[in-house]
């Protein structure tokens, strides 16, 4: 009866999990839209195209329109509609004339959940008191306030290049040439929102982003930019409220690729996967453009689109203390991290005054929107140093990044952006001993505490757990002889350490929780999804081994897995009681230690009872 009850509970739990999984709507299908994209095949005759457009207009009482003047060559039309109309169009015979029909999703400026993206205003009159710069890299009065540029070691990169002859397309809310962008060189862009040449900013976001990339520098005014000798291409796809459609964004990506852009920055995003945008990204990538996008500010375990697409560098954010910003997305789609700011310190640039859009003000923003242009600026420096292919530039950025230890949830991707090391690697093809020494220092490897508290020595507890489980098994074997077998060995590993090396595996656009589950021992399963260190007392106890014994003890082979698991859990709890006794609700003191030790003894006792008088092969 006990086995039947446990089996029923298992089936119920599995059914609930499968139901939730089947009904889970992923980010690829989420998103708002008010219009629908009709992408007609380019090989159909113009006469047939016009007939189909007229048929759609008559049948659905809508007027298909070109998204913008650049959409005609791609046969991209837009019609108003909702989910119902989308289904009807996809089922219509007219769909045969189209490559695809999809929602024209609305992407927006990512906004931090706990703070407004408009931060503190600085009074320009402060300049007189700060005429002498606090750092040698630039004479801009507010440069001393730009912790973010010092964090990425931009001064070391400037000794090699400032991004000359590189064009960075800023696909955003437009760019207004405020006073601190006057000396920056611009190339023609386009306003896809209003379908006109002038791409001025009526929101403030795009101008701020552009400033981080290439704000005029060493002009004795305002602040500095990263690649300040690069050219800016303003492409407006977001309206004054910060929203824009994937059709406009896709058109802007192609415009940038066709008009000489080397780098594209997109500090925008949302839910909803788009064939149109993916095709545009692939098109730009084939033309040698490197594309960067913000990971998003929802504090969720996956980057938003377009950062999730292949060939796009997804950027998460960290604050002045180097820790992940609380709003930043993480996990799938994050390739690297960069300064994005927090309440402790924002990203300072000049942008338009929200109350008087004809004037400029210096403002501090925070968000992954601010992190992405840091990577775009450094990518421009890398390309100016001679690395041309997008994939090669990405490798340079990743290899030169400051690594972050214990990043199992992929908060930082390859690590934290390092402009100096990136340019050094791009220029010489290898990092010098001085740069390697600096990397060792910045990564903490020169700190003795690293080798005591973490790093390579972090493997020691896992090794002790595995060895301890085998010692316990050997001890039982002396008194109750049995043969070793694979089931026993797998039980020992599952209970003690799990396949712990799998926790560090990261595959683009796949969830990390399966790797964390496989890489966790039985006691760690209760806290592995949350990514916390403290044990869940239900899992870090004799309960799970007891349940396995109840289910498997009658099976001549699998009972040895249950026995091995019980011994492995005993070793895991015993080692943890000595080295890291943290348990939910019990803290990490004497109560936690006693709880773990008592349950370790119970697990060993349970295994002893199971193998007593057993002489069959394992």
């Amino acid at each position: 009866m006990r086995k039947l009850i446990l089996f029923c509970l298992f089936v119920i739990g599995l059914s609930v999990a499968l139901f939730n999984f089947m009904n889970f709507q992923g980010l690829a299908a989420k998103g708002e839209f008010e219009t629908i994209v009709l992408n007609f095949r380019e090989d159909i005759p113009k006469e047939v195209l016009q007939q189909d457009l007229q048929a759609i207009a008559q049948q659905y009482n809508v007027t298909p329109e070109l998204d913008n003047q650049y959409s005609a060559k791609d046969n991209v039309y837009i019609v108003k509609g909702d989910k119902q109309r989308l289904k009807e169009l996809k089922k219509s015979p007219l769909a045969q004339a189209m490559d695809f029909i999809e929602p024209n999703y609305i992407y927006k400026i990512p906004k931090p959940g706990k703070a407004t993206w408009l931060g503190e205003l600085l009074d320009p009159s402060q300049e007189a008191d700060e005429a002498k710069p606090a750092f040698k890299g630039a004479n801009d009065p507010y440069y001393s306030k730009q912790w973010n540029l010092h964090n990425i070691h931009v001064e070391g990169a400037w000794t090699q290049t400032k991004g000359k002859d590189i064009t960075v397309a800023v696909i955003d809310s437009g760019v207004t040439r405020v006073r601190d962008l006057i000396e920056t060189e611009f190339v023609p862009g386009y306003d896809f929102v209003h379908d006109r040449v002038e791409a001025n900013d009526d929101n403030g976001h795009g101008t701020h982003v552009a400033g981080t990339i290439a704000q005029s520098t060493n002009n004795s005014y305002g602040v500095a930019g990263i690649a300040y000798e690069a050219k800016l291409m303003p492409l407006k796809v977001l309206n004054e409220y910060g929203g824009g459609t994937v059709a406009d964004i896709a058109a802007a990506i192609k415009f940038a690729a066709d008009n000489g852009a080397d780098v594209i920055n997109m500090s925008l995003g949302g839910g909803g996967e788009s064939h149109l945008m993916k095709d545009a990204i692939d098109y730009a990538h084939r033309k040698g453009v490197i594309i960067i996008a913000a990971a998003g500010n929802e504090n969720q375990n996956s980057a938003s689109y377009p950062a999730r697409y292949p060939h796009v560098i997804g950027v998460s954010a960290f604050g002045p203390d180097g820790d992940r910003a609380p709003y930043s997305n993480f996990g799938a789609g994050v390739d690297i991290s960069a300064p994005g700011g927090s309440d402790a310190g924002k990203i300072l640039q000049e942008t338009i005054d929200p109350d008087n859009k004809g004037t400029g003000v210096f403002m501090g923003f925070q968000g992954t929107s601010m992190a992405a242009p840091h990577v775009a600026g450094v990518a421009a420096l890398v390309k100016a140093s001679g690395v041309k292919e997008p994939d090669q530039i990405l490798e340079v950025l990743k290899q030169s990044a400051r690594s972050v230890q214990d990043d199992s949830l992929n908060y930082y991707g390859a690590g934290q952006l390092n402009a100096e090391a990136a340019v050094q690697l791009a220029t010489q093809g290898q990092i010098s001993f001085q740069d390697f020494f600096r990397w060792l220092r910045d990564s903490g490897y020169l700190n003795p505490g690293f080798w005591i508290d973490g790093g390579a020595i972090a493997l020691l507890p896992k090794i002790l757990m595995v060895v301890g489980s085998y010692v316990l098994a050997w001890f039982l074997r002396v008194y109750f002889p049995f043969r070793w077998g694979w089931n026993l060995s797998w039980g020992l590993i599952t209970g003690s350490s799990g396949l712990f090396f799998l926790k560090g595996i990261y595959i683009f656009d796949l969830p990390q929780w399966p790797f964390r589950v496989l890489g966790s021992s039985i006691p760690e399963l209760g806290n592995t999804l949350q990514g916390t260190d403290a044990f869940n007392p239900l899992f870090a106890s004799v309960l799970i081994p007891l349940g396995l014994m109840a289910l498997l003890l009658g099976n001549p082979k699998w009972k040895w897995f249950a026995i091995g698991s019980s011994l492995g859990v005993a070793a895991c709890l015993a080692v943890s009681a000595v080295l890291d006794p943290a348990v939910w609700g019990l803290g990490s003191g004497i109560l936690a230690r006693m709880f773990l030790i008592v349950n370790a003894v119970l697990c060993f006792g349970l295994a002893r009872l199971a193998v007593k008088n057993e002489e069959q092969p394992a």
Side-chain angles (χ1 to χ4, degrees), residues 404-524:
V404 178
Q405 304 302 317
D406 300 325
D407 186 22
S408 61
L409 296 181
N410 198 45
Y411 289 137
Y412 303 94
Q416 297 181 343
L417 183 69
N418 188 332
E420 182 178 12
V423 170
Q424 186 71 30
L425 182 60
T427 302
Q428 299 184 0
Q430 59 183 358
I431 298 179
S432 67
F433 176 78
Q434 181 181 5
D435 295 310
F436 178 68
F437 184 84
R438 185 183 294 108
W439 175 78
L440 289 174
R441 181 197 64 197
D442 294 341
S443 299
Y445 293 118
L446 298 183
N447 182 357
F450 171 83
W451 298 101
I452 298 173
D453 300 330
I457 307 303
L459 296 176
L460 182 59
K462 298 296 183 183
I463 295 172
L464 289 175
M465 292 172 187
V466 175
V467 172
S469 67
Y470 273 88
V471 169
L472 292 177
W474 173 83
F475 181 79
L476 283 181
R477 189 169 179 266
V478 170
Y479 292 94
F480 308 104
F482 57 83
R483 294 180 183 178
W484 293 99
W486 282 109
N487 289 332
L488 177 66
S489 296
W490 275 115
L492 294 172
I493 293 173
T494 302
S496 61
S497 68
L499 304 176
F500 58 90
F501 51 87
L502 292 179
K503 286 186 176 182
I505 292 179
Y506 166 68
I507 299 176
F508 175 82
D509 227 19
L510 288 180
Q512 275 68 64
W513 66 266
F515 297 109
R516 295 201 303 273
V517 169
L518 292 173
S520 299
S521 62
I522 289 175
E524 294 173 319

Side-chain angles (χ1 to χ4, degrees), residues 173-174 176 194 196 200-204 236 238-241 352 357:
S173 62
T176 295
H194 303 103
R196 61 192 182 193
N200 290 324
D201 189 2
D202 52 8
N203 177 281
K236 181 175 175 62
L238 304 178
N239 59 29
E240 62 179 315
Y241 304 107
I352 59 174
K357 296 181 179 179

Side-chain angles (χ1 to χ4, degrees), residues 121-130 141-142 221-222 350 360-362:
L121 252 63
L122 296 183
D123 184 356
S125 64
Q126 293 178 359
E127 286 186 68
D129 299 329
E130 300 180 11
Y142 291 154
Y221 180 85
E350 186 178 19
V361 291
F362 292 91

Side-chain angles (χ1 to χ4, degrees), residues 1 24 41 87 119 147 179 259 291 305 367 406 418 604:
M1 177 61 70
F24 176 75
R41 299 200 320 267
K87 292 180 181 178
W147 63 268
R179 168 64 183 84
N259 288 274
I291 307 169
Y305 289 100
D406 300 325
N418 188 332
F604 178 76

